[in-house]
Amino acid sequence: MKTLIKAIDTISEYTGKTALWLCVALILVLTFETTARYVFDSPTVWAYETSWMVGASMAVLGWSYTHRHHGHIRVDVFYTRLPPRGKAVIDVLCSAIFLFPLLSILLYSSFSFMLFSWKMHEKLVESSWMPPSGPIKTVMVLGLSLFALQCIAQFIRDVYQLIRGKTYDST
């Protein structure tokens, strides 16, 4: 079990660092477009869709990394005052009732949309460039899948905390 959780954590770290480099790519695309538009009066047809595809990829690939480092927003009015075991109870219950059902629905629907997109050769129609939508939808499924894996790893840690009363160490 430790090997599996460590592997999931490693994948989350790697994808988080990949998302960091996508931020650099996004800055480069937007800088190029701004320069082309305002300095050379020659806007591109591809920069808008490229920027939102890179930005969306950066976000979804960062979800698992953010979850790994407990960076997602939560209502901390009571949670921060709880002992570790109390936090684990809240996390296990909320994961079982809300997170896993929602992730199941999102994974199923995004996978269906991705398959449809590849099968029909769907195009993005926001500009005259019209790139295929399959790659970005595939990245969405990948990001959701990695996030789901990290959620499972955290769930195992929380259950361990409840049963054993101590923090799970995957090293």
Coordinates of all heavy atoms in Angstrom, one line a residue, residues 94-164:
C94 N -16.7 13.6 4.2 CA -17.0 14.5 3.1 C -16.5 13.9 1.7 O -17.1 14.1 0.7 CB -16.3 15.9 3.3 SG -17.1 16.9 4.5
S95 N -15.4 13.2 1.8 CA -14.9 12.5 0.6 C -16.0 11.4 0.2 O -16.3 11.3 -1.0 CB -13.6 11.8 0.9 OG -12.6 12.8 1.0
A96 N -16.4 10.6 1.1 CA -17.4 9.5 0.8 C -18.7 10.1 0.3 O -19.3 9.5 -0.6 CB -17.6 8.6 2.0
I97 N -19.2 11.2 0.9 CA -20.5 11.7 0.6 C -20.5 12.6 -0.6 O -21.4 12.5 -1.4 CB -21.1 12.4 1.8 CG1 -21.3 11.4 3.0 CG2 -22.4 13.1 1.5 CD1 -21.7 12.1 4.3
F98 N -19.5 13.5 -0.7 CA -19.5 14.5 -1.7 C -18.4 14.3 -2.8 O -18.7 14.3 -4.0 CB -19.3 15.9 -1.1 CG -20.3 16.3 -0.1 CD1 -20.0 16.4 1.2 CD2 -21.6 16.5 -0.5 CE1 -21.0 16.7 2.1 CE2 -22.6 16.8 0.4 CZ -22.3 17.0 1.7
L99 N -17.2 14.1 -2.4 CA -16.1 14.1 -3.4 C -16.1 13.0 -4.3 O -16.0 13.2 -5.6 CB -14.7 14.2 -2.6 CG -13.5 14.2 -3.5 CD1 -13.5 15.5 -4.4 CD2 -12.2 14.2 -2.6
F100 N -16.2 11.7 -3.8 CA -16.1 10.6 -4.7 C -17.3 10.5 -5.7 O -17.1 10.2 -6.9 CB -15.8 9.3 -3.9 CG -14.5 9.2 -3.4 CD1 -14.3 8.9 -2.0 CD2 -13.3 9.5 -4.1 CE1 -13.0 8.9 -1.5 CE2 -12.1 9.5 -3.6 CZ -11.9 9.1 -2.3
P101 N -18.5 10.7 -5.2 CA -19.6 10.7 -6.2 C -19.5 11.8 -7.2 O -19.7 11.5 -8.4 CB -20.9 11.0 -5.3 CG -20.5 10.5 -3.9 CD -19.0 10.8 -3.8
L102 N -19.1 13.0 -6.9 CA -18.9 14.1 -7.8 C -17.8 13.7 -8.8 O -17.9 13.9 -10.0 CB -18.5 15.4 -7.1 CG -18.3 16.6 -8.1 CD1 -19.5 16.9 -8.9 CD2 -17.8 17.8 -7.3
L103 N -16.7 13.2 -8.3 CA -15.6 12.8 -9.2 C -16.0 11.7 -10.2 O -15.6 11.7 -11.3 CB -14.4 12.3 -8.4 CG -13.4 13.4 -7.9 CD1 -12.3 12.8 -7.1 CD2 -12.8 14.1 -9.1
S104 N -16.8 10.8 -9.7 CA -17.3 9.7 -10.6 C -18.1 10.3 -11.7 O -18.0 9.9 -12.9 CB -18.2 8.7 -9.8 OG -17.4 8.1 -8.8
I105 N -19.0 11.2 -11.4 CA -19.8 11.8 -12.4 C -19.0 12.6 -13.4 O -19.1 12.5 -14.6 CB -20.9 12.7 -11.8 CG1 -21.9 11.9 -11.0 CG2 -21.6 13.6 -12.8 CD1 -22.8 12.7 -10.1
L106 N -18.0 13.4 -12.9 CA -17.2 14.2 -13.7 C -16.3 13.3 -14.6 O -16.1 13.6 -15.8 CB -16.3 15.1 -12.9 CG -17.0 16.3 -12.2 CD1 -16.0 17.0 -11.3 CD2 -17.5 17.3 -13.3
L107 N -15.7 12.3 -14.1 CA -14.9 11.4 -14.9 C -15.7 10.7 -16.0 O -15.3 10.6 -17.1 CB -14.2 10.3 -14.0 CG -12.9 10.8 -13.3 CD1 -12.5 9.8 -12.3 CD2 -11.8 10.9 -14.4
Y108 N -16.9 10.2 -15.6 CA -17.7 9.6 -16.6 C -18.1 10.5 -17.8 O -18.0 10.2 -18.9 CB -19.0 9.0 -16.0 CG -19.9 8.4 -17.0 CD1 -19.7 7.1 -17.5 CD2 -21.0 9.1 -17.4 CE1 -20.5 6.5 -18.4 CE2 -21.9 8.5 -18.3 CZ -21.7 7.3 -18.8 OH -22.5 6.7 -19.8
S109 N -18.6 11.7 -17.4 CA -19.1 12.6 -18.4 C -17.9 13.2 -19.2 O -18.0 13.3 -20.5 CB -19.9 13.7 -17.8 OG -19.1 14.5 -16.9
S110 N -16.8 13.5 -18.6 CA -15.7 14.0 -19.4 C -15.1 13.0 -20.3 O -14.6 13.3 -21.4 CB -14.6 14.6 -18.5 OG -14.0 13.6 -17.7
F111 N -15.0 11.7 -19.9 CA -14.6 10.7 -20.7 C -15.5 10.5 -21.9 O -15.0 10.3 -23.0 CB -14.4 9.3 -19.9 CG -13.8 8.2 -20.7 CD1 -12.4 8.3 -20.8 CD2 -14.5 7.2 -21.2 CE1 -11.7 7.2 -21.6 CE2 -13.9 6.2 -21.9 CZ -12.5 6.2 -22.1
S112 N -16.8 10.6 -21.7 CA -17.7 10.5 -22.8 C -17.6 11.6 -23.8 O -17.6 11.4 -25.0 CB -19.2 10.5 -22.3 OG -19.4 9.4 -21.4
F113 N -17.4 12.8 -23.3 CA -17.2 14.0 -24.1 C -15.9 13.9 -24.9 O -15.8 14.2 -26.1 CB -17.2 15.3 -23.3 CG -18.5 15.7 -22.8 CD1 -18.6 16.3 -21.6 CD2 -19.6 15.6 -23.6 CE1 -19.8 16.7 -21.1 CE2 -20.9 15.9 -23.1 CZ -21.0 16.5 -21.8
M114 N -14.8 13.3 -24.3 CA -13.6 13.1 -24.9 C -13.7 12.1 -26.1 O -13.2 12.4 -27.2 CB -12.5 12.7 -23.9 CG -11.1 12.4 -24.6 SD -10.1 11.4 -23.6 CE -10.8 9.8 -23.7
L115 N -14.3 11.0 -25.8 CA -14.5 10.0 -26.9 C -15.3 10.5 -28.0 O -15.0 10.3 -29.2 CB -15.2 8.7 -26.3 CG -14.3 7.9 -25.4 CD1 -15.2 6.7 -24.9 CD2 -13.1 7.4 -26.1
F116 N -16.4 11.3 -27.7 CA -17.2 11.9 -28.8 C -16.4 12.8 -29.6 O -16.5 12.9 -30.8 CB -18.4 12.6 -28.2 CG -19.3 13.3 -29.2 CD1 -20.2 12.6 -29.9 CD2 -19.1 14.7 -29.4 CE1 -21.0 13.3 -30.8 CE2 -19.9 15.3 -30.3 CZ -20.8 14.6 -31.1
S117 N -15.6 13.6 -28.9 CA -14.7 14.6 -29.6 C -13.8 14.0 -30.6 O -13.6 14.4 -31.7 CB -14.0 15.5 -28.6 OG -13.2 16.4 -29.2
W118 N -13.1 12.9 -30.2 CA -12.2 12.2 -31.1 C -12.9 11.5 -32.2 O -12.5 11.5 -33.4 CB -11.3 11.2 -30.3 CG -10.2 11.9 -29.5 CD1 -10.2 12.0 -28.1 CD2 -9.0 12.5 -30.0 NE1 -9.0 12.6 -27.7 CE2 -8.3 12.9 -28.9 CE3 -8.5 12.6 -31.2 CZ2 -7.1 13.6 -29.0 CZ3 -7.3 13.3 -31.4 CH2 -6.6 13.7 -30.2
K119 N -14.0 10.9 -31.9 CA -14.8 10.1 -32.9 C -15.3 11.0 -34.0 O -15.3 10.7 -35.2 CB -15.9 9.4 -32.2 CG -16.7 8.5 -33.1 CD -17.8 7.8 -32.3 CE -18.7 6.9 -33.2 NZ -19.7 6.3 -32.4
M120 N -15.8 12.2 -33.6 CA -16.5 13.1 -34.5 C -15.5 14.2 -35.1 O -15.9 15.0 -35.9 CB -17.7 13.8 -33.9 CG -18.7 12.9 -33.3 SD -19.2 11.7 -34.5 CE -20.6 12.4 -35.3
H121 N -14.3 14.1 -34.7 CA -13.3 15.1 -35.2 C -13.7 16.5 -34.9 O -13.7 17.4 -35.7 CB -12.9 14.9 -36.6 CG -12.5 13.6 -37.0 ND1 -11.2 13.1 -36.7 CD2 -13.1 12.5 -37.6 CE1 -11.1 11.9 -37.1 NE2 -12.2 11.5 -37.7
E122 N -14.2 16.7 -33.6 CA -14.8 18.0 -33.2 C -13.7 19.1 -33.2 O -12.6 18.8 -32.9 CB -15.4 17.8 -31.8 CG -16.1 19.0 -31.3 CD -16.6 18.8 -29.9 OE1 -16.0 18.0 -29.1 OE2 -17.5 19.5 -29.5
K123 N -14.2 20.3 -33.6 CA -13.3 21.4 -33.7 C -13.8 22.5 -32.7 O -14.9 22.6 -32.4 CB -13.3 22.0 -35.1 CG -12.9 21.1 -36.2 CD -11.5 20.9 -36.3 CE -11.2 20.0 -37.6 NZ -9.9 19.6 -37.6
L124 N -12.8 23.3 -32.2 CA -13.2 24.4 -31.4 C -13.5 25.6 -32.3 O -12.7 25.9 -33.2 CB -12.0 24.8 -30.5 CG -11.6 23.7 -29.4 CD1 -10.3 24.1 -28.7 CD2 -12.7 23.5 -28.5
V125 N -14.6 26.3 -32.1 CA -15.0 27.2 -33.1 C -15.0 28.7 -32.6 O -15.7 29.5 -33.2 CB -16.4 26.9 -33.6 CG1 -16.4 25.6 -34.4 CG2 -17.4 26.8 -32.5
E126 N -14.2 29.0 -31.6 CA -14.1 30.3 -31.1 C -13.4 31.3 -32.0 O -13.5 32.5 -32.0 CB -13.4 30.3 -29.7 CG -14.2 29.7 -28.6 CD -15.4 30.4 -28.3 OE1 -15.4 31.6 -28.2 OE2 -16.5 29.7 -28.1
S127 N -12.5 30.7 -32.9 CA -11.8 31.6 -33.9 C -11.8 30.8 -35.2 O -12.3 29.7 -35.4 CB -10.4 31.8 -33.4 OG -9.6 30.6 -33.5
S128 N -11.2 31.5 -36.2 CA -11.1 30.9 -37.5 C -10.0 29.8 -37.6 O -10.0 29.1 -38.6 CB -10.9 31.9 -38.6 OG -9.7 32.6 -38.3
W129 N -9.2 29.7 -36.6 CA -8.2 28.7 -36.5 C -8.8 27.3 -36.4 O -8.3 26.3 -37.1 CB -7.3 28.9 -35.4 CG -6.2 27.9 -35.2 CD1 -5.4 27.3 -36.1 CD2 -5.7 27.4 -33.9 NE1 -4.5 26.5 -35.6 CE2 -4.6 26.5 -34.2 CE3 -6.0 27.7 -32.6 CZ2 -3.9 25.9 -33.3 CZ3 -5.3 27.0 -31.6 CH2 -4.2 26.1 -32.0
M130 N -9.8 27.1 -35.6 CA -10.6 25.9 -35.4 C -9.7 24.6 -35.2 O -9.7 23.7 -35.9 CB -11.5 25.6 -36.6 CG -12.5 26.7 -36.8 SD -13.6 26.5 -38.2 CE -14.3 24.9 -37.9
P131 N -9.0 24.6 -34.0 CA -8.2 23.5 -33.7 C -9.0 22.3 -33.2 O -10.2 22.5 -32.8 CB -7.3 24.0 -32.5 CG -8.1 25.0 -31.9 CD -8.9 25.7 -33.0
P132 N -8.5 21.1 -33.3 CA -9.3 19.9 -32.8 C -9.5 20.0 -31.3 O -8.6 20.5 -30.6 CB -8.5 18.7 -33.2 CG -7.1 19.2 -33.4 CD -7.2 20.7 -33.8
S133 N -10.7 19.6 -30.8 CA -10.9 19.7 -29.4 C -10.5 18.4 -28.6 O -10.5 18.4 -27.4 CB -12.4 20.0 -29.1 OG -13.2 18.9 -29.5
G134 N -10.2 17.4 -29.3 CA -9.8 16.1 -28.7 C -8.7 16.2 -27.7 O -8.7 15.7 -26.6
P135 N -7.6 16.9 -28.1 CA -6.4 17.0 -27.2 C -6.7 17.7 -25.9 O -6.3 17.1 -24.8 CB -5.4 17.8 -28.0 CG -5.7 17.5 -29.4 CD -7.2 17.4 -29.4
I136 N -7.4 18.8 -25.9 CA -7.7 19.5 -24.6 C -8.7 18.7 -23.8 O -8.6 18.6 -22.5 CB -8.2 20.9 -24.8 CG1 -8.3 21.7 -23.5 CG2 -9.6 20.9 -25.5 CD1 -7.0 21.9 -22.8
K137 N -9.6 18.0 -24.4 CA -10.6 17.1 -23.6 C -9.8 15.9 -23.0 O -10.2 15.5 -22.0 CB -11.7 16.7 -24.5 CG -12.7 17.9 -24.8 CD -13.9 17.5 -25.5 CE -14.8 18.8 -25.7 NZ -16.0 18.5 -26.4
T138 N -8.8 15.4 -23.7 CA -8.0 14.3 -23.2 C -7.2 14.8 -22.0 O -7.1 14.1 -21.0 CB -7.1 13.8 -24.3 OG1 -7.9 13.4 -25.4 CG2 -6.2 12.6 -23.8
V139 N -6.7 16.0 -22.1 CA -6.0 16.6 -20.9 C -6.9 16.7 -19.7 O -6.5 16.5 -18.6 CB -5.3 17.9 -21.3 CG1 -4.7 18.6 -20.1 CG2 -4.2 17.7 -22.3
M140 N -8.1 17.1 -20.0 CA -9.1 17.3 -18.9 C -9.4 15.9 -18.2 O -9.4 15.8 -17.0 CB -10.5 17.8 -19.4 CG -10.4 19.2 -20.0 SD -10.1 20.3 -18.7 CE -9.7 21.8 -19.6
V141 N -9.5 14.9 -19.0 CA -9.7 13.5 -18.4 C -8.5 13.1 -17.7 O -8.6 12.5 -16.6 CB -10.1 12.5 -19.6 CG1 -10.1 11.1 -19.0 CG2 -11.4 12.8 -20.2
L142 N -7.3 13.3 -18.2 CA -6.1 13.0 -17.5 C -6.0 13.7 -16.2 O -5.7 13.1 -15.2 CB -4.9 13.3 -18.4 CG -3.5 13.1 -17.8 CD1 -3.3 11.6 -17.5 CD2 -2.4 13.6 -18.7
G143 N -6.2 15.0 -16.2 CA -6.2 15.8 -15.0 C -7.2 15.3 -13.9 O -6.8 15.2 -12.7
L144 N -8.4 15.0 -14.4 CA -9.4 14.5 -13.4 C -9.0 13.2 -12.9 O -9.2 12.9 -11.7 CB -10.7 14.4 -14.1 CG -11.6 15.6 -14.1 CD1 -12.8 15.5 -15.1 CD2 -12.1 16.0 -12.7
S145 N -8.4 12.3 -13.7 CA -8.0 11.0 -13.3 C -6.8 11.1 -12.3 O -6.9 10.4 -11.2 CB -7.5 10.2 -14.5 OG -8.5 10.0 -15.4
L146 N -5.9 12.0 -12.5 CA -4.8 12.2 -11.6 C -5.3 12.7 -10.2 O -4.8 12.3 -9.2 CB -3.7 13.1 -12.2 CG -3.0 12.5 -13.4 CD1 -2.1 13.5 -14.0 CD2 -2.2 11.3 -13.0
F147 N -6.3 13.6 -10.3 CA -6.9 14.2 -9.1 C -7.6 13.1 -8.3 O -7.5 13.0 -7.1 CB -7.8 15.4 -9.5 CG -8.5 16.0 -8.3 CD1 -7.8 16.5 -7.3 CD2 -9.9 16.0 -8.3 CE1 -8.4 17.1 -6.2 CE2 -10.5 16.6 -7.2 CZ -9.8 17.2 -6.2
A148 N -8.3 12.3 -9.1 CA -9.0 11.2 -8.4 C -8.1 10.2 -7.7 O -8.3 9.8 -6.5 CB -9.9 10.4 -9.4
L149 N -6.9 9.9 -8.3 CA -5.9 9.1 -7.7 C -5.4 9.7 -6.4 O -5.2 9.0 -5.4 CB -4.8 8.8 -8.7 CG -5.0 7.8 -9.7 CD1 -3.8 7.7 -10.7 CD2 -5.3 6.4 -9.1
Q150 N -5.1 11.0 -6.5 CA -4.6 11.7 -5.3 C -5.6 11.7 -4.2 O -5.3 11.6 -3.0 CB -4.1 13.1 -5.6 CG -3.4 13.8 -4.5 CD -2.1 13.0 -4.1 OE1 -1.3 12.7 -4.9 NE2 -2.0 12.7 -2.8
C151 N -6.9 11.9 -4.6 CA -8.0 11.8 -3.6 C -8.1 10.5 -2.9 O -8.3 10.4 -1.7 CB -9.3 12.2 -4.2 SG -9.5 13.9 -4.7
I152 N -7.9 9.4 -3.7 CA -7.9 8.1 -3.1 C -6.7 7.9 -2.1 O -6.9 7.4 -1.0 CB -7.8 7.0 -4.2 CG1 -9.2 7.0 -5.0 CG2 -7.5 5.6 -3.7 CD1 -9.1 6.2 -6.3
A153 N -5.5 8.4 -2.5 CA -4.4 8.3 -1.6 C -4.6 9.1 -0.3 O -4.3 8.6 0.8 CB -3.1 8.8 -2.3
Q154 N -5.2 10.2 -0.4 CA -5.5 11.0 0.8 C -6.6 10.3 1.6 O -6.5 10.4 2.8 CB -5.9 12.4 0.4 CG -6.1 13.4 1.6 CD -4.8 13.5 2.4 OE1 -3.8 13.7 1.9 NE2 -5.0 13.4 3.7
F155 N -7.5 9.7 1.0 CA -8.6 9.0 1.7 C -8.0 7.9 2.5 O -8.3 7.6 3.6 CB -9.6 8.5 0.7 CG -10.8 7.8 1.3 CD1 -11.8 8.6 1.9 CD2 -10.9 6.4 1.3 CE1 -12.9 8.0 2.5 CE2 -12.0 5.8 1.9 CZ -13.0 6.6 2.5
I156 N -7.0 7.1 1.9 CA -6.4 6.0 2.6 C -5.6 6.6 3.8 O -5.6 6.0 4.9 CB -5.4 5.3 1.6 CG1 -6.2 4.5 0.6 CG2 -4.5 4.3 2.4 CD1 -5.4 4.0 -0.5
R157 N -4.9 7.7 3.6 CA -4.2 8.3 4.8 C -5.2 8.7 5.9 O -4.9 8.5 7.1 CB -3.5 9.6 4.3 CG -2.3 9.4 3.5 CD -1.6 10.7 3.3 NE -0.4 10.6 2.5 CZ -0.3 10.7 1.2 NH1 -1.4 11.1 0.5 NH2 0.8 10.5 0.5
D158 N -6.3 9.3 5.5 CA -7.3 9.7 6.5 C -7.9 8.5 7.2 O -8.1 8.5 8.4 CB -8.4 10.5 5.9 CG -7.9 11.9 5.4 OD1 -6.9 12.4 5.9 OD2 -8.5 12.4 4.4
V159 N -8.2 7.4 6.5 CA -8.8 6.2 7.1 C -7.7 5.6 8.1 O -8.0 5.2 9.2 CB -9.2 5.2 6.1 CG1 -9.5 3.8 6.7 CG2 -10.4 5.7 5.3
Y160 N -6.5 5.6 7.7 CA -5.4 5.1 8.5 C -5.3 6.0 9.8 O -5.1 5.4 10.9 CB -4.0 5.2 7.8 CG -2.9 4.7 8.5 CD1 -2.6 3.3 8.5 CD2 -2.1 5.5 9.3 CE1 -1.5 2.8 9.2 CE2 -1.0 5.0 10.0 CZ -0.7 3.7 9.9 OH 0.4 3.2 10.6
Q161 N -5.5 7.3 9.7 CA -5.5 8.2 10.8 C -6.6 7.8 11.8 O -6.4 7.8 13.0 CB -5.6 9.6 10.3 CG -5.8 10.7 11.4 CD -4.5 11.0 12.1 OE1 -3.4 11.0 11.5 NE2 -4.5 11.3 13.4
L162 N -7.8 7.5 11.2 CA -8.9 7.2 12.1 C -8.7 5.8 12.8 O -9.0 5.7 14.0 CB -10.2 7.0 11.2 CG -10.8 8.3 10.8 CD1 -12.0 8.0 9.9 CD2 -11.3 9.1 12.0
I163 N -8.2 4.8 12.1 CA -8.0 3.5 12.7 C -6.8 3.5 13.6 O -7.0 2.9 14.8 CB -7.8 2.5 11.5 CG1 -9.1 2.4 10.7 CG2 -7.4 1.1 12.1 CD1 -9.0 1.5 9.5
R164 N -5.7 4.0 13.2 CA -4.5 3.8 14.0 C -4.3 5.0 15.0 O -3.5 4.9 15.9 CB -3.2 3.7 13.1 CG -3.3 2.6 12.2 CD -3.0 1.3 13.0 NE -3.0 0.2 12.1 CZ -2.2 -0.8 12.1 NH1 -1.3 -0.9 13.0 NH2 -2.3 -1.8 11.3

